[in-house]
Amino acid sequence: MEPIVTPAEMAAIDAAAPEPVEELIDRAGGAVARVALRLLGGSYGRRTVVVAGKGNNGADGRAAADRLRRRGVRVDIIDAAAAPATLPPADLIIDAAYGTGFRGEYQAPAPADPGTPVLAVDIPSGVDGLTGVAAGRPLPATRTVTFAAWKPGLLLADGARLAGEVELADIGLDTATARAHRVTAADVAAWLPDPARDTHKWKAAAWLIAGSPGMTGAARLAAASAMRSGAGYLRLSTPSAGADVDAPVEAVVAPVGDAWSDAVLDDLDRFRAVGVGPGLGTDEATADEVRQLVAGAPIATVVDGDGLRALGAAAATVIRSRAAGAPSAVLTPHDGEFAALDGAAPQADRFAAARDLARDTGAVILLKGPTTLVATPDGAILAADQGDARLATAGSGDVLTGLILGLLAAGLPPDRAAAAGAFLHGRAGDLAWRRGLVAGDLVDHLPAAFAEVAGGSIATLHPRL
């Protein structure tokens, strides 16, 4: 996992370093220069413009300029405070104007050629290092070199778009105190358990209570996803639908009536995980059944959609009434559902928002977004930044719920099941159709996503494809 620290945490890490600040600046400048040479494709005949401020960010840029000059690159250094409206022509612009602690607005000078690649030092100037919100007119980066740890602003809001491709450079700082980490494919691969040779379907059994008359598609998507992601046996119950459920052929349909929580709780002893909420409906009687199930389930539990609205302001009371020793429940809100749980939409500092709700409820919180954050009650965060805007389609959240349910059934702890689910959900979207993607396509591409994180591909597993 790759560490993520706030600007304040980074300042403390810098201050605690045994090396003098000049040594750290030299290392940072070296990292920037190496990436710059790759972007330039060499040094001979190349010209670079460095926009440098007066702080450490500018010092990093000047250190990079010194190294590039020694390699034969022609370098112009321009003072950020006195920069012209348009920069001189160049093969590369290095943005070292302002760093993660910048406040105010930054009106970046325009490149002479709009197609000139831009390399940002630590973070694009003008982007808030904590929230990712841009003020003014920052210069969009082709690539950003960030030092020692990711900053939240590179993963959130405008920052995620403006940073371009991010490279994490190790300059020898100790980031062991980081409480947040970015999830990588290697992490997910290490978390996924290999089934024992003597396993059978009941060792990874899951029960999904989802859907309602007219909303059976949500249940079908979640069920199919759970079976693709680790559930060896999937029981699907749609209240009041009887046996007339739109279920995948592999799922076992178990009819339940309007008052269903007691029946489910009485028969959970053979199951490893339970999921509730997608398409379930929002009437008060249903909400009461959800609360009873979540409070009483002694096994891993994931709650989404209408289940979250059922918990609402009572989420903390319900979650904290779960039996001692029961795994943490996983709540998976988007911003609107977050407001139903918390009373207000997430603040600009989404890391703090997710942490606060996890602490207040005692649940693992998966806060959906372009970067999905998984927070635990003790303040740890796992961030998954896979996927793109194609995931903003009806039913995508139901697929994610099923993914987490399947991973819980396979034995992953709640925080890792949620983070791995978010990562694989995003990768399935990346591997699917560039246009015309619907939620069912995500389910179909899950095997390819699993194969990819394991170091293979769908083509190697199925040579005929």
Side-chain angles (χ1 to χ4, degrees):
M1 295 185 289
E2 298 173 338
I4 305 168
V5 299
T6 67
E9 291 169 338
M10 192 70 239
I13 290 170
D14 282 336
E19 299 89 350
V21 66
E22 294 80 10
E23 173 64 21
L24 297 177
I25 287 171
D26 185 64
R27 293 177 187 176
V32 173
R34 287 190 290 274
V35 177
L37 288 168
R38 292 206 307 271
L39 287 173
L40 288 166
S43 60
Y44 181 75
R46 304 297 197 273
R47 182 172 180 178
T48 296
V49 171
V50 179
V51 181
K54 63 181 180 180
N56 285 348
N57 196 257
D60 296 340
R62 291 184 177 90
D66 289 342
R67 287 176 177 254
L68 290 172
R69 281 177 176 143
R70 293 199 294 269
R71 292 291 300 271
V73 179
R74 292 182 295 165
V75 181
D76 291 332
I77 298 178
I78 294 178
D79 185 348
T86 302
L87 296 171
D91 300 300
L92 176 68
I93 296 167
I94 296 179
D95 170 15
Y98 302 104
T100 60
F102 177 73
R103 295 293 180 270
E105 291 191 358
Y106 175 57
Q107 305 295 332
D113 177 357
T116 304
V118 176
L119 175 60
V121 176
D122 212 19
I123 195 167
S125 297
V127 172
D128 188 298
L130 185 64
T131 68
V133 175
R137 190 185 62 243
L139 200 57
T142 308
R143 193 165 300 175
T144 296
V145 180
T146 198
F147 308 118
W150 286 71
K151 316 309 180 295
L154 294 169
L155 294 162
L156 301 175
D158 307 307
R161 170 179 56 85
L162 291 168
E165 182 182 341
V166 177
E167 290 197 25
L168 181 61
D170 181 2
I171 59 172
L173 293 171
D174 183 1
T175 59
T177 57
R179 298 184 301 153
H181 293 83
R182 177 178 175 267
V183 174
T184 68
D187 299 321
V188 176
W191 295 342
L192 295 176
D194 291 324
R197 288 175 59 86
D198 62 347
T199 194
H200 54 78
K201 63 186 180 183
W202 281 104
K203 288 191 175 181
W207 196 340
L208 175 66
I209 299 89
S212 57
M215 290 290 289
T216 56
R220 181 181 180 88
L221 286 167
S225 178
M227 289 184 291
R228 288 288 196 188
S229 55
Y233 172 97
L234 193 285
R235 179 179 292 180
L236 174 61
S237 297
T238 298
S240 301
D244 186 21
V245 175
D246 183 20
V249 67
E250 299 89 350
V252 176
V253 174
V256 292
D258 289 330
W260 45 266
S261 59
D262 285 344
V264 174
L265 289 170
D266 287 345
D267 201 21
L268 275 183
D269 58 305
R270 297 187 69 186
F271 292 84
R272 201 170 190 179
V274 61
V276 62
L280 199 58
T282 58
D283 61 274
E284 184 52 36
T286 297
D288 188 59
E289 296 299 314
V290 170
R291 291 189 288 265
Q292 290 186 55
L293 173 65
V294 174
I299 59 175
T301 305
V302 56
V303 187
D304 186 36
D306 292 335
L308 296 173
R309 297 189 183 278
L311 294 180
T317 301
V318 173
I319 298 298
R320 295 190 185 282
S321 67
R322 287 166 64 86
S328 297
V330 179
L331 311 185
T332 61
H334 55 55
D335 283 14
E337 293 160 345
F338 186 101
L341 296 167
D342 188 62
Q347 60 208 48
D349 182 356
R350 294 176 72 86
F351 280 71
R355 276 194 178 104
D356 290 349
L357 187 59
R359 180 199 63 217
D360 294 345
T361 60
V364 170
I365 299 296
L366 182 149
L367 177 55
K368 296 172 182 172
T371 293
T372 293
L373 304 180
V374 175
T376 60
D378 64 1
I381 285 186
L382 298 173
D385 61 347
Q386 302 297 305
D388 56 32
R390 289 174 296 157
L391 296 179
T393 185
S396 174
D398 304 318
V399 174
L400 177 58
T401 302
L403 237 174
I404 296 169
L405 177 61
L407 292 169
L408 289 170
L412 268 69
D415 58 335
R416 291 187 174 182
F423 186 98
L424 291 160
H425 186 249
R427 288 306 301 149
D430 288 339
L431 295 168
W433 319 117
R434 300 309 302 170
R435 291 190 179 274
L437 181 145
V438 296
D441 298 330
L442 299 174
V443 177
D444 293 339
H445 283 80
L446 283 177
F450 276 93
E452 183 188 64
V453 300
S457 69
I458 194 68
T460 58
L461 294 177
H462 296 278
R464 293 183 181 180
L465 297 181

